[in-house]
Amino acid sequence: MNTATLDNLLHVGVAQSTITPPIGFTISGPEFEDRPALGINDDLSARCVVFESYGQTSALVSLDVWGISDSVRERLIAAISQATNIPQTNIIITATANGNSPPLWRENTDQPPEYANYVNYLPDIVAGAALEASLALEPAAVGTVSAILPNLSCFANPNQPEQLETERETLQLSIVLTSDNHIKCLIYNFACPATIIGNTQEWTADYPGIASSALEQAGVDTAIFLQGASADIRPFDWWDGNTNVSHAERTWSDAQAFGILLATQAIRAAPNAIARRNAPIKTAQSEDGTLTALTLGEATLITTNQPQPIEFVADLRSALPNTKLLVNANSSGRDSPTSAAERATTLSTAIELVNRLAV
């Protein structure tokens, strides 16, 4: 195989940076009142992976926050593009849906005053990680696999069809391997909000941070959690109206148990992925920029800014039976539910984007 052919195959680079706000800054989230941070339990991170294949380059960036406003997202994407020369339409920003978060989903006029400098500096931190990843590209292969994780999450309304129960328990993985079969990046997609830890006054990335750290301690270079369509999902058995909750106190140990089990199942499933270097990287975006599709070899990642119920993924998978899907939802951190009309429109657009990439 000649050098030119090899150079056109998949190359991947990864990097990450700490984005924990200072002590004293406001902790916010979807459930509890704003309160000042009095300590750091575990750091919040920005994790980045850059893909290059057949002359196309894309970046996937995950932040340990509840959500990201349009204005912050635009600044992050512009900074990454300027630093790396990756087209803005090829840059995807996601949020882990961490419930103990800096309030980045609020527009600037609604930010606590101490965040003015933080929001100005954050694009530089994230762009620096993206640049580091883009400068560390090396030959890689990518594969996709799924696993089932029962009893980690539940429905807000526990009476759901069996098809949705199966979808709720599914863990989707894309695994990026180097030439010596080392896991350079593990992208794992699970539908459960990162809202286990309760009304704490310490910064924490909740269970996605625990799971990613555990995977990285196990040898993965960078582990990126993708929040699934979880508008109707709760951790453990915290469904609405349950009078016999098993983890009612919502402590660090609950998040640790959840995160470690998630990481354990991810690392166990990873060897079952069949990875290949001949993996095209393509992106497509909706006209309003709220929906993006990214092809990673045989898998396609769909990201939407809107909150979506697990039914959205089931319908998408039914409409695209030959596509291996990872679905990320609600990176905007919106707390209002998506209407049936909005869901139908988003579903139709997602299908159109995937079909466009298949051409």
Side-chain angles (χ1 to χ4, degrees), residues 19 32 49 53 114 122 146 178 289 306 333 338 345:
I19 60 169
F32 305 107
V49 54
S53 181
E114 70 268 20
L122 182 65
S146 62
T178 57
Q306 299 174 337
T338 305
T345 299

Side-chain angles (χ1 to χ4, degrees), residues 150-327:
N151 304 321
L152 272 188
S153 63
C154 69
F155 282 103
N157 174 3
N159 300 314
Q160 296 290 342
E162 184 176 348
Q163 177 192 12
L164 296 186
E165 289 282 359
T166 300
E167 191 65 57
R168 173 184 59 80
E169 296 178 344
T170 298
L171 171 67
Q172 298 285 352
L173 302 149
S174 276
I175 297 95
V176 178
L177 301 173
T178 57
S179 57
D180 59 355
N181 282 327
H182 172 72
I183 302 179
K184 189 168 190 66
C185 182
L186 192 153
I187 302 170
Y188 59 115
N189 180 204
F190 191 63
C192 185
T195 54
I196 289 181
I197 297 176
N199 193 13
T200 180
Q201 287 190 267
E202 293 184 321
W203 291 115
T204 173
D206 213 297
Y207 79 79
I210 295 168
S212 290
S213 293
L215 288 164
E216 289 157 3
Q217 290 172 16
V220 175
D221 284 356
T222 295
I224 293 182
F225 173 79
L226 293 178
Q227 175 62 242
S230 58
D232 54 348
I233 307 295
R234 303 291 181 267
F236 293 119
D237 56 354
W238 298 340
W239 49 271
D240 295 347
N242 187 3
T243 58
N244 188 28
V245 179
S246 59
H247 299 81
E249 294 180 358
R250 301 177 63 169
T251 64
W252 165 257
S253 62
D254 291 324
Q256 189 174 40
F258 195 113
I260 293 299
L261 183 54
L262 183 60
T264 300
Q265 295 305 313
I267 207 70
R268 284 180 177 173
N272 296 321
I274 299 174
R276 59 190 180 101
R277 287 209 62 209
N278 183 18
I281 300 297
K282 300 179 183 178
T283 58
Q285 194 173 84
S286 63
E287 290 185 4
D288 62 4
T290 63
L291 190 69
T292 303
L294 169 65
T295 295
L296 301 174
E298 63 180 356
T300 299
L301 165 62
I302 296 291
T303 67
T304 172
N305 294 358
Q306 299 174 337
Q308 294 289 349
I310 202 69
E311 183 180 1
F312 173 80
V313 183
D315 290 344
L316 190 60
R317 209 179 301 283
S318 177
L320 299 165
N322 298 320
T323 304
K324 295 184 178 180
L325 290 169
L326 291 86
V327 179

